[in-house]
Structure formats: structure tokens, C-alpha cells
Amino acid sequence: MKALVLHGPGDLRLEEVPKPVASPGSIVVRVIASPLWDYVSNVVDGSMKFPHAYPLIFGTCCVGRIDEVGDDAASLEPGQLVFCDHIVYARDAPAHRIVLGYHGGHSVQERKLSSGGWKHGCWAEYARIPAENAHVVDEELMAQRSVTPAQLTEISSVMSAIGAANSIQVRAGETVIVMPATESFSSSAIVAALGLGANVVAVSRSKDKLDAMINHFGEDGKRIVSVTLTDHVAQDSAALRAATPGGRGADAYIDFSSNGPAQGSHIQAGLLALKRHGRSVTPSSKHKRAKGLTMFMCRCCLAGAVPENVPLPYLTIRVNCLTIRGSFAQVREDVECTIRLIEAGNLKLRKIVAGEFSLKDHAPAMQLAKECAGWEQMVLIKP
């Protein structure tokens, strides 16, 4: 089969390689489409110094059709349409994870995983995937929603946003601040929040981008209120709070700040715009303080990639009883949640496919992906 093999930084070659074989715990899919994010070329050329076990078949995640299953498969069958997540957890050490064909991990266990049985990604005609990473899609329901297999690749950005929203228990009817809101992954947090039934305060430093993005959301844009940042904490926090129902503040805040210099003023403003306590939650077995008591919380999820420390309003967090947690990508339940929301018609995939490229045209594909950074478009590899 044909595959794109990464031999070293910047050395990506189209080669003939053996077709993978399904073994226990795995499946082989015929790859239909795989997304390119705007920074993928930086991973390939080594400017983003992700660890790799060279040579390897590169890749992100993909939509495919099952070609072969391992002999222990209980429900997966050849012919099924599946979305394949690329976050692989070590089965005997689930605290360790890699990104299949994309990031080989840092720990000894992760490097062992990515240099052994789970080395290769999906930029190929066929790909071997852990069985638990394959999520079956109901083709009939998707057809009713006019969602094509290629469009399902947008799940790759929405699933991590669903992961962030689920990590802080975003619920229907709540108001969620999404900041920043106009980048490729951060804009997907709006898609996720709307799909879960929440309303959104979308934040950016560009009013023009916000206006264009809200217009792109069509009728659902009525559930989005925009706020343009000034980078003055008091002014921004007041504007954010004013954008919420009754000016009472938001229930949750999802931060998807990108990989760049720390600019903590917007994070402070977001935290200051949250309600005191916020939503009432009946404690589950995981969150009980004392039997019969109700726990209140208002919460922030940090899901971006800021490499530096940022200042936080310590006393506000304490007095308002705020919860702050981090979220890395997604777990299996988040991917399943995303797919079920799409099938039900609650979550609408909105990105426009700007270009579809074969494996041999990977260079112009990565260039176009760079140019399509943001909320509106996506680029696909279609082997």
C-alpha cells in the first residue's frame, strides 16, 4: 500500500509499505479522510519538537471503513464506518498516552508504546488502529443529517472541546465563556457548548472575526454573544459579565489559549466574570462532601497550550469557590458523546472543506492548511 513515511524532521516520503494486519485488540481500516491542522507542517519539519520513533507512518486521526478485525472483536465488523481517535492509552499503564503517528510521548512507557506496536499513523491507504479507538458511526442517521464521511473529520477538533466541556460538566441552559473563540480548536468549543445545549459568550481581540464567525453559525448565532477584548482586566471582566443573562456572570469558562507568550489578563478577566458558586450540583459518589449536602461550583477549564505561568486572582477564586481544572484532549466517552450528538442533530458540523488532497500532494495540502487556520475551513488528506 502507499503511505507517507516520516524519516526525520522535514523528510516525509510517499512509499510502498506492507499493508497492516489486524491482530488481537486491533482493527485495520481503509482510510477515507484525515484532517490537517494548521500547525501539522511544523510537526513534520521538526520546528515543533515532538518526539518520534523514526521512521514512522505519519498521521492525525481519520474516518475509515473497517477492512479487518482482530479475532477478539465482539462487535466491530468489516464494512462499518468508523471515526478513529489517535490518542492511545497504554492498556497496562493508562496514565501513559501517545498520539498515534504524531507524538511519541515523553515517559519511558510512552516511548516504548510509540516505538513498538503503536508506532504508525493513518496517512496511508490502510491503518491499524486499537479496537477501543474505533467509534462506529450510524451511516443512516448521518445521511439524514446530510453529513458525509469526509465532514466527520471535523470530529477531530470538536472531540477535545467536548472533552473540555465534559470535564467541567457543562449542561443545557448554562452560559459558557469561550476564550479565545476564533481559532481552529477554540472555535470548536463553541460548537461543543451549543451542541450540549449551553449558550456562549464568544471572546476575541478582533470584532470583525467575531462578527463573521457568528454569522457563519446561522440561526444558532442567536445563542452567541460576542465580547471584544481590550486587555484591561477590569474593563474586560465587566464586559464579559454584562454579556451574561441579567449580568449575573457565567456558569463556566473554557480557555483554549494557543501556544504563545503568556497573556494572563484575559484569563483573569474570565475568572472574574464567573458567578459566585454557580450551578447547584447534587453530589455523586465522586463528589460527596457530606450526605444530604448540596455542593455548588462554578468552573474554568484550561484546555489550551500556554507554555508559561499566568497570574490568577487568588482571592476571587477562594471567595467565589471557583473550580479550575485542566483538560488534555479527550477520552473514549467524549468521542462517543460527540458522535451521538451529531447523530441526534444536536451538534452541527460547520467547517467548510477548503481542499482534498491525495497522499502525493501532501506538501500543497499542508500549505493550504496553514492558510486556513481559524474557525471556518479545514483541509483533508484522502488516500
Side-chain angles (χ1 to χ4, degrees):
M1 69 171 187
K2 290 181 173 61
L4 286 171
V5 181
L6 187 62
H7 289 267
D11 188 7
L12 187 64
R13 309 176 201 170
L14 181 60
E15 297 180 355
E16 285 284 343
V17 300
K19 178 186 172 184
V21 176
S23 56
S26 73
I27 65 166
V28 171
V29 299
R30 176 69 171 91
V31 179
I32 295 173
S34 176
L36 285 83
W37 306 306
D38 57 323
Y39 59 88
V40 165
S41 59
N42 298 330
V43 179
V44 171
D45 67 21
S47 55
M48 291 186 74
K49 300 187 183 301
F50 287 4
H52 299 296
Y54 300 116
L56 75 156
I57 298 172
F58 191 75
T60 52
C61 44
C62 71
V63 174
R65 198 169 293 281
I66 297 178
D67 180 72
E68 182 187 3
V69 300
D71 60 13
D72 61 343
S75 62
L76 296 175
E77 299 175 352
Q80 289 175 318
L81 184 68
V82 290
F83 176 84
C84 300
D85 186 12
H86 57 339
I87 305 292
V88 177
Y89 291 86
R91 290 167 178 158
D92 58 343
H96 300 275
R97 65 205 171 196
I98 63 169
V99 187
L100 193 62
Y102 194 77
H103 191 302
H106 296 289
S107 69
V108 172
Q109 294 88 343
E110 289 166 349
R111 299 304 289 269
K112 183 177 180 181
L113 190 65
S114 62
S115 60
W118 298 115
K119 182 177 184 178
H120 298 299
C122 65
W123 281 13
E125 293 178 306
Y126 294 88
R128 179 173 165 269
I129 305 290
E132 63 269 25
N133 284 52
H135 302 266
V136 177
V137 175
D138 188 318
E139 290 191 74
E140 184 177 344
L141 285 177
M142 290 302 180
Q144 292 174 13
R145 309 292 178 199
S146 299
V147 178
T148 67
Q151 287 175 307
L152 288 172
T153 57
E154 189 182 341
I155 293 172
S156 65
S157 55
V158 178
M159 62 186 181
S160 61
I162 287 287
N166 284 344
S167 75
I168 54 172
Q169 301 177 15
V170 169
R171 295 293 182 265
E174 294 189 320
T175 298
V176 181
I177 296 170
V178 174
M179 185 162 50
T182 58
E183 298 174 3
S184 180
F185 280 90
S186 63
S187 62
S188 293
I190 299 176
V191 176
L194 293 176
L196 290 167
N199 297 315
V200 173
V201 177
V203 187
S204 172
R205 292 180 175 84
S206 170
K207 183 179 185 303
D208 290 342
K209 285 185 178 180
L210 282 170
D211 290 345
M213 183 187 67
I214 291 173
N215 183 63
H216 181 70
F217 274 80
E219 189 68 19
D220 284 339
K222 295 178 181 178
R223 295 167 54 199
I224 306 171
V225 179
S226 66
V227 172
T228 305
L229 285 175
T230 66
D231 290 326
H232 296 286
V233 173
Q235 188 173 333
D236 288 340
S237 63
L240 290 171
R241 186 172 283 272
T244 65
R248 294 186 296 273
D251 300 285
Y253 160 34
I254 299 175
D255 186 275
F256 259 100
S257 296
S258 59
N259 185 6
Q263 296 178 333
S265 64
H266 72 277
I267 297 177
Q268 294 183 66
L271 291 168
L272 290 168
L274 291 172
K275 293 175 182 175
R276 176 173 292 186
H277 298 307
R279 177 171 57 86
S280 170
V281 181
T282 300
S284 67
S285 57
K286 292 171 63 178
H287 298 107
K288 283 182 180 176
R289 290 181 175 177
K291 187 175 181 180
L293 293 182
T294 299
M295 181 176 67
F296 298 90
M297 67 175 183
C298 210
R299 58 262 188 237
C300 166
C301 176
L302 302 180
V306 178
E308 303 169 11
N309 294 332
V310 296
L312 298 176
Y314 186 107
L315 284 179
T316 296
I317 294 168
R318 177 199 171 202
V319 172
N320 289 353
C321 303
L322 304 183
T323 297
I324 301 174
R325 66 172 299 162
S327 176
F328 174 84
Q330 65 285 328
V331 295
R332 178 176 174 81
E333 290 76 15
D334 299 320
V335 187
E336 287 291 318
C337 176
T338 305
I339 293 171
R340 300 293 87 81
L341 287 170
I342 298 168
E343 290 173 344
N346 295 339
L347 191 153
K348 298 179 179 66
L349 298 177
R350 301 176 184 274
K351 289 187 184 291
I352 299 166
V353 178
E356 299 177 349
F357 296 84
S358 66
L359 293 172
K360 69 181 180 64
D361 293 324
H362 58 86
M366 286 190 282
Q367 179 58 41
L368 182 59
K370 270 189 173 182
E371 297 168 5
C372 292
W375 51 267
E376 187 176 17
Q377 298 176 308
M378 62 180 179
V379 177
L380 307 179
I381 287 282
K382 296 187 75 174

